[in-house]
Amino acid sequence: MLEKIPHAVGEALSRVKAGLGKTVYHSVFSDVPESITVTSEAFADGGTIPARYTDDGGKLSPPLAWSGLPPGTGSVVLLVEDPDAPMPRPLVHLIAWKERAHDAALPEGDFASRGTEGQRHELGRNSFQRDAWLPPDPPTGHGPHHYLFQVYALDGVLDLPHSPGRGDILDAMRGRVLAKGLLTGVYERK
């Protein structure tokens, strides 16, 4: 969708970004212990996300794994944000808010997207108001975008209505996060 933005417009907006300081990981839950390890078979931490997992490719969610959940974990929340989006706050690419309370290894395409039906997960609304994986789709010329795959261990299961948004999730998580972990992938549309 954003590939249609002219390169010159993307370049002109290259300094307009929400910023890391506005991500949930670095602002709302900055004091939570970082003891969860988050990995992907598709890319290393700080590495390039293959096009297969973006809007330029198969639109699939990448394979993800996490380990090191602390004792007492009742559920897991996965949140993916892009702090480089030319918006006032990070763009939300995925909210999976009722993941099982154990170490996990999810295959590619496990979350619903325009590229796949995915498996059954309790998903919240991404920034495009869909309960799905929103594949990376940065504007041409805007520069590299960092996608923060954030995993949070909670002391129980959140009681939320169907299709919660970012604000609903954050409000429900406050005071309940036991640990967190982060994997960052990078993608730039040339």
Side-chain angles (χ1 to χ4, degrees):
M1 183 150 79
L2 295 180
E3 75 277 0
K4 295 180 177 143
I5 292 176
H7 183 83
V9 173
E11 197 171 292
L13 292 172
S14 66
R15 294 179 193 224
V16 178
K17 298 176 183 189
L20 276 176
K22 291 185 179 178
T23 62
V24 170
Y25 199 86
H26 295 291
S27 64
V28 181
F29 302 116
S30 61
D31 59 342
V32 171
E34 298 179 68
S35 59
I36 300 171
T37 301
V38 186
T39 59
S40 176
E41 297 173 357
F43 58 94
D45 188 35
T48 300
I49 298 173
R52 175 176 180 76
Y53 307 110
T54 72
D55 206 57
D56 295 326
K59 300 170 182 48
L60 301 169
S61 61
L64 292 172
W66 56 81
S67 60
L69 298 179
T73 300
S75 68
V76 171
V77 170
L78 171 63
L79 173 65
V80 183
E81 293 180 295
D82 172 8
D84 298 314
M87 302 173 67
R89 68 178 187 199
L91 191 75
V92 174
H93 285 263
L94 179 73
I95 299 172
W97 60 276
K98 213 173 192 179
E99 296 296 301
R100 294 184 185 136
H102 57 71
D103 294 350
L106 306 177
E108 73 174 26
D110 208 48
F111 295 105
S113 72
R114 287 181 289 146
T116 180
E117 289 183 19
Q119 298 301 312
R120 179 154 174 76
H121 292 274
E122 292 287 344
L123 301 180
R125 290 187 314 275
N126 62 36
S127 287
F128 284 16
Q129 301 303 305
R130 294 187 182 116
D131 297 349
W133 163 247
L134 177 62
D137 185 22
T140 303
H142 196 256
H145 280 228
H146 297 79
Y147 298 88
L148 279 62
F149 293 79
Q150 307 159 65
V151 174
Y152 298 94
L154 305 183
D155 65 2
V157 178
L158 299 178
D159 182 22
L160 291 166
H162 179 71
S163 189
R166 182 181 188 261
D168 300 324
I169 290 288
L170 296 183
D171 288 345
M173 288 173 64
R174 289 183 201 281
R176 305 193 64 190
V177 181
L178 304 173
K180 66 182 181 178
L182 176 67
L183 171 69
T184 302
V186 180
Y187 188 70
E188 179 178 6
R189 182 175 277 139
K190 301 286 184 183

